[in-house]
Amino acid sequence: MTTDLNFIASRFALSAPVKGIETLGDGFINDTFIVRTEGGAPDYILQRKNKRIFPDVPAMMENIRKVTDHIRRGVEAAGGDTLREVMTVVPTLDGELCFMDAEGEYWAVTIFISDTVAYNRADTEKLARMGGVGIGKFQAQLADFDEPLSETIKGFHNMRHRFEQWDASVSRDAAGRVGSLTAEIAWIESRREEMMSFWSKVEDGTIPTRVTHNDTKINNILFDRQERVLCVIDLDTVMPATALNDFGDAIRTYANTGDEDDRDLARVGLSLGMFAAYADGYLSQRAATLSPSELEWLAFSARYITFEQVLRFLMDYIDGDTYYKIKSPDHNLVRTHAQYRLLCSMEEQYEDMCRIVSETAAKYLG
Ligand code: GN1
Ligand code: MG
C-alpha cells in the first residue's frame, strides 16, 4: 500500500502525537493498523473500511456510533469502565466519523483497548462460556435500543437474498468452475428447502428481529487477562437481524474442533462440550428475554449460519474469489469443504444440541 498512514492518522482527533503505525491482525475484510502514540495517551485502531463490501461506510459508522453511545450510557450507569467496556469511535478533526482519502477510501479510528486478550479459537469450555456471556450481554445491552439503523450489508444473513446471489453466481459461472463442483453444489441444493423454511419464520415474524452483532467469531470479543469479557468489537455488521444469527455464528467458530479452513477434515467437527458451554453462557444472559420461538430455533441457528458460510465460501470460489481474501488459489474451496464437514457434524448431533438448549434454558428460567 502506498497510502501515507501518518497523514491519514493526522486527520483524526487523536489526543497525542503518533509514535508509529503497525499492521494488526489479518481480517478478511478491512485493513487494520495500530497507531502508537507518545506518552500515556491511548493508542488507536485505524481501519481502512472495505467499501466494496460496505457500500455506505458513513452510514455504517453512524450505526456504530449510535450503538456504542447506547452501550456506553449503560456501562456508565452500571459504574463500569467506559474506555474498556465499550468501543469508542474517534471522529476526524472536522467532526466526521470517517475520513475519505484522495483515492476515495474510507478510514475510521477507534480507541485501542490495551492489555486485552483476543483468541482465534476458544480452547477451553470456560472461555466458550465467557464468549456466550459476552454476546448475551451485548444483546442485552441493546435490548432497549430503539434508534433506526442502516442495513450495512444488504441481506447479510437473509437466506432468500443469499439464494438469489447463489443462483446468479452459479448461472454466471464467472471463473468456469461450476463444472467441477457438482458434489459441492448438491450440498447446497439439497438443503435449500429446509433453510428457506427456517427463513420464512423470520419473514413472517415468528422469529423476531432485534439489533444484533452478526459476526460473533471469538476474535471479535476482547477479554481481560482473567478471561473475563471486556467488550465486543468489530461492530461493522451491527444491524437489525435475528438474535439467533449471533448464537449460530458463535457456535460455528467456537465449537469447531478444527479450523475454519482446515485441510484435514478429520480434525473438523462440532464439540458438544463447547456447544453446551457457549449455550450456558449465552442463556445465562438471555434465557428470560428470548421468545419461545427463539429458544426453539436456537440450536438450528448453528446449522443455518454454518450452511450460509458453506454457501458463501463456495459462491466466492465460483465467482473467482472476489469477496474473501485468499491465501492459496483453492482457499475458498478448502473453506467450503471444512465448513461443510462442520455442518454435517451438527446435523448428526442435532438432537443433542436441542436437548442441551432446552435443559440450559430451563435451568435459567428456574
Ligand atoms: C468475515 O470480518 P471478518 O473477517 O471477521 C465475514 C463474516 C464471515 C467470516 C468468515 C462482513 O468476517 O461474515 O463469517 O469472514 N464478514 C463479512 O470467517 O462478510
Ligand atoms: Mg471480524
Side-chain angles (χ1 to χ4, degrees):
M1 193 185 321
T2 54
T3 313
D4 181 351
L5 292 171
N6 282 296
F7 170 74
I8 308 277
S10 77
R11 305 318 301 154
F12 287 86
L14 310 184
S15 61
V18 172
K19 197 162 64 183
I21 302 181
E22 301 144 35
T23 301
L24 190 77
D26 59 351
F28 294 177
I29 307 287
N30 299 314
D31 297 305
T32 306
F33 305 88
I34 179 159
V35 180
R36 306 271 181 205
T37 62
E38 304 282 359
D43 293 335
Y44 297 90
I45 295 291
L46 170 67
Q47 271 194 324
R48 178 166 61 180
K49 299 291 186 180
N50 190 327
K51 64 175 182 183
R52 197 167 41 76
I53 286 168
F54 301 111
D56 189 348
V57 176
M60 173 175 90
M61 293 307 300
E62 188 59 31
N63 278 2
I64 298 176
R65 185 196 60 77
K66 286 178 182 168
V67 162
T68 52
D69 282 355
H70 183 90
I71 295 176
R72 189 173 308 103
R73 286 190 288 272
V75 169
E76 216 161 18
D81 183 341
T82 51
L83 285 179
R84 294 178 66 74
E85 292 174 36
V86 60
M87 270 177 56
T88 307
V89 177
V90 177
T92 68
L93 296 172
D94 305 326
E96 304 290 337
L97 299 176
C98 50
F99 171 71
M100 194 177 81
D101 69 16
E103 280 138 48
E105 297 291 339
Y106 282 108
W107 298 80
V109 169
T110 54
I111 292 182
F112 175 70
I113 304 172
S114 63
D115 205 25
T116 65
V117 188
Y119 301 88
N120 279 321
R121 3 171 359 126
D123 286 324
T124 63
E125 291 181 6
K126 180 181 171 220
L127 196 55
R129 187 179 185 285
M130 290 319 297
V133 169
I135 292 300
K137 197 170 140 198
F138 178 81
Q139 289 187 353
Q141 285 172 319
L142 291 170
D144 58 345
F145 179 90
D146 60 1
E147 296 170 65
L149 290 179
S150 310
E151 193 179 14
T152 44
I153 300 183
K154 187 175 173 290
F156 194 49
H157 289 311
N158 173 333
M159 199 54 77
R160 187 175 302 284
H161 179 72
R162 289 299 180 193
F163 270 116
E164 280 163 16
Q165 292 181 319
W166 165 261
D167 289 336
S169 153
V170 172
S171 61
R172 201 183 315 120
D173 193 12
R177 289 172 170 171
V178 162
S180 65
L181 298 169
T182 317
E184 291 83 353
I185 290 172
W187 297 343
I188 303 298
E189 293 302 338
S190 62
R191 290 167 178 81
R192 184 189 284 255
E193 206 181 299
E194 142 185 84
M195 293 299 158
M196 283 310 297
S197 140
F198 169 81
W199 181 251
S200 68
K201 293 184 199 336
V202 178
E203 288 178 328
D204 71 15
T206 309
I207 295 171
T209 295
R210 305 177 185 274
V211 175
T212 57
H213 185 280
N214 295 302
D215 188 9
T216 49
K217 308 201 269 210
I218 191 165
N219 63 10
N220 283 335
I221 301 185
L222 297 181
F223 295 83
D224 68 13
R225 304 251 174 236
Q226 287 72 42
E227 292 192 354
R228 282 181 311 229
V229 173
L230 260 183
C231 95
V232 178
I233 56 168
D234 191 359
L235 304 182
D236 293 352
T237 51
V238 168
M239 60 186 140
T242 101
L244 302 184
N245 298 338
D246 283 355
F247 181 83
D249 201 31
I251 297 304
R252 179 183 76 79
T253 53
Y254 283 68
N256 186 352
T257 52
D259 293 323
E260 186 179 72
D261 60 351
D262 224 310
R263 284 181 187 269
D264 181 0
L265 295 183
R267 295 185 63 233
V268 177
L270 176 86
S271 155
L272 266 188
M274 295 295 274
F275 176 83
Y278 189 90
D280 192 81
Y282 179 74
L283 289 170
S284 74
Q285 307 296 308
R286 298 289 283 144
T289 43
L290 291 179
S291 71
S293 65
E294 287 173 302
L295 287 174
E296 183 187 340
W297 290 96
L298 197 61
F300 188 82
S301 72
R303 288 168 57 185
Y304 181 87
I305 292 290
T306 306
F307 171 83
E308 182 193 294
Q309 199 62 68
V310 176
L311 183 155
R312 290 175 66 194
F313 283 147
L314 182 56
M315 183 163 76
D316 198 35
Y317 186 69
I318 291 173
D319 289 344
D321 312 306
T322 60
Y323 189 93
Y324 291 109
K325 291 180 189 167
I326 52 168
K327 290 183 179 153
S328 64
D330 65 347
H331 202 169
N332 273 316
L333 187 60
V334 171
R335 289 167 172 151
T336 302
H337 280 253
Q339 290 285 288
Y340 179 66
R341 176 70 205 101
L342 177 63
L343 175 62
C344 293
S345 172
M346 289 175 177
E347 289 169 349
E348 285 154 19
Q349 301 185 79
Y350 187 53
E351 262 177 46
D352 286 327
M353 292 161 69
C354 290
R355 179 183 47 77
I356 289 167
V357 167
S358 56
E359 286 172 5
T360 310
K363 170 174 136 190
Y364 287 110
L365 289 169

